Amino acid sequence: MKEEFMDVAIDLSDDNFEKNYGGPFGAVVVKNGKIIGRGINRVLKNNDPTAHAEIIAIRRACSKLETYDLSDCELYTSCYPCPMCLSAIIWSNIKTVYYANTKEDAADIGFRDDMIYDYFKALSEGTVKRSILNLKAMNNEEAKEVFDRFKEDEDKVIY
């Protein structure tokens, strides 16, 4: 059964390659043996750098199930997820991901995921030599007040 879901993800990636909506990537979210979310990379089509196949599949699955928690789902993707997609997978509580192509395969066709992996590694090791991003903290009391109110809210939902 797992091979069938991977075949769908790969077919989506092939179809997307033909349409040129974005990179050759496809993904499906599966729950109880049924596909509940499909996604193709639509970065070029949507002018949206976050429109990766995995994220679109997650968005569609969440919409269909009317939840943000996909802990009882699996994800099948045509390629090892990039750092952004890995984060989305973690936030959605998906615990199992099946992938076909490796991140090295993605690098071989020109995708720069390794730059981000290397940056995160250097950040965690404290060895960043050249930042690819300028993060600048600003002391904003109004923002802290909102956080403080949220902290005290008895009806808050942590996800």
Side-chain angles (χ1 to χ4, degrees):
M1 192 76 144
K2 291 178 181 4
E3 290 80 13
E4 292 175 29
F5 298 133
M6 183 58 75
D7 287 345
V8 172
I10 293 169
D11 287 346
L12 287 167
S13 75
D14 186 46
D15 184 52
N16 198 47
F17 168 69
E18 295 296 327
K19 290 178 179 172
N20 196 30
Y21 285 175
F25 305 104
V28 295
V29 174
V30 174
K31 179 178 179 176
N32 299 327
K34 293 186 179 177
I35 295 174
I36 57 167
R38 296 171 189 255
I40 58 171
N41 184 296
R42 296 180 61 90
V43 170
L44 301 178
K45 176 74 172 169
N46 294 7
N47 292 315
D48 179 355
T50 69
H52 290 201
E54 296 89 342
I55 290 179
I56 290 174
I58 288 168
R59 289 174 180 164
R60 290 180 175 166
C62 289
S63 179
K64 182 171 186 168
L65 296 176
E66 298 181 347
T67 185
Y68 56 85
D69 183 2
L70 300 177
S71 58
D72 52 356
C73 298
E74 299 175 328
L75 187 130
Y76 294 78
T77 179
S78 63
C79 187
Y80 189 89
C82 76
M84 177 182 67
C85 292
L86 281 172
S87 296
I89 291 163
I90 292 167
W91 277 115
S92 67
N93 295 313
I94 293 173
K95 304 295 187 238
T96 304
V97 176
Y98 298 94
Y99 64 92
N101 292 308
T102 66
K103 60 184 177 177
E104 292 79 16
D105 295 329
D108 188 51
I109 64 169
F111 287 87
R112 57 191 177 127
D113 301 7
D114 281 349
M115 173 189 68
I116 301 170
Y117 286 115
D118 292 345
Y119 181 73
F120 286 150
K121 182 178 181 194
L123 276 177
S124 70
E125 294 172 349
T127 60
V128 173
K129 292 184 177 29
R130 183 180 148 266
S131 182
I132 60 172
L133 177 65
N134 292 315
L135 293 170
K136 299 181 182 195
M138 295 179 63
N139 186 6
N140 188 327
E141 292 302 316
E142 290 177 26
K144 180 71 170 97
E145 288 175 15
V146 175
F147 270 33
D148 290 342
R149 288 197 330 265
F150 180 84
K151 184 178 179 179
E152 300 303 320
D153 185 0
E154 292 182 19
D155 296 325
K156 70 180 167 268
V157 176
I158 303 294
Y159 52 91

